[in-house]
Amino acid sequence: MTLPLDFVIPDGWTAVDPGDSGAVFVAVHDAAPGEFVPNITVSVQQRPDDASIDDIAAEAVERLARTLAGLDVLSRRDVGEPAAPGVMQLLRLRTGEGDELIQTQVHLTVPGAVPADRLVLELACTAAPATARRLAPGFQRFVGSLHVRQHEGKAQ
């Protein structure tokens, strides 16, 4: 799936190959040896169903919960506009090794020409709690800079 996205990578972050992560974009931030490497991921899903953006955000929580020792939803709020609704949620994750991480997820709707063409972007920033607080403003700028380029075609 090709989705022409434009965004500004925050200072201190480096884009890396997403590999088989399922993401279309991954960036990492420097971390001390042995510490969790903070990351930003962008994933895209085509959602021809009629699931609400709240349902989609809840699905993301359920999907993550299956792979972790623990997960708490610390907050969830609506973002965006009625034509392109979104949800931001703050999650506390506990790994099987006992590490605690904070993940901020932003789910954004990209309406299609018809409802079956709807896409949902999932932007996530994951880091250790103290690092997450420090990196939050950069992630907010990243989310705010993201937009879908309009199709380029012949001039009319």
Side-chain angles (χ1 to χ4, degrees):
M1 170 184 326
T2 301
L3 186 63
L5 295 175
D6 284 329
F7 48 83
V8 177
I9 300 171
D11 290 340
W13 293 87
T14 303
V16 297
D17 183 349
D20 61 359
S21 67
V24 297
F25 174 80
V26 175
V28 296
H29 198 278
D30 292 335
E35 289 185 6
F36 180 82
V37 176
N39 61 77
I40 291 174
T41 60
V42 178
S43 302
V44 180
Q45 284 186 317
Q46 186 161 15
R47 291 301 299 245
D49 60 357
D50 60 356
S52 72
I53 195 70
D54 289 316
D55 292 341
I56 292 168
E59 288 172 9
V61 168
E62 291 172 17
R63 184 178 67 244
L64 262 178
R66 289 192 294 265
T67 66
L68 295 165
L71 185 151
D72 298 309
V73 177
L74 302 176
S75 66
R76 180 181 284 167
R77 67 180 172 92
D78 294 334
V79 297
E81 301 178 11
V87 169
M88 189 284 301
Q89 52 191 10
L90 185 64
L91 311 174
R92 180 176 36 233
L93 315 176
R94 283 180 300 289
T95 68
E97 295 78 34
D99 295 325
E100 184 172 302
L101 302 170
I102 297 294
Q103 184 174 86
T104 303
Q105 294 182 348
V106 179
H107 300 267
L108 301 172
T109 303
V110 180
V114 296
D117 291 340
R118 173 179 71 150
L119 299 176
V120 174
L121 306 179
E122 179 182 301
L123 297 81
C125 181
T126 309
T131 306
R133 284 187 286 279
R134 184 172 47 83
L135 298 177
F139 181 62
Q140 290 170 348
R141 286 190 299 277
F142 174 78
V143 172
S145 75
L146 185 119
H147 69 276
V148 179
R149 286 191 307 272
Q150 298 302 313
H151 294 289
E152 298 172 7
K154 296 180 182 178
Q156 297 289 326

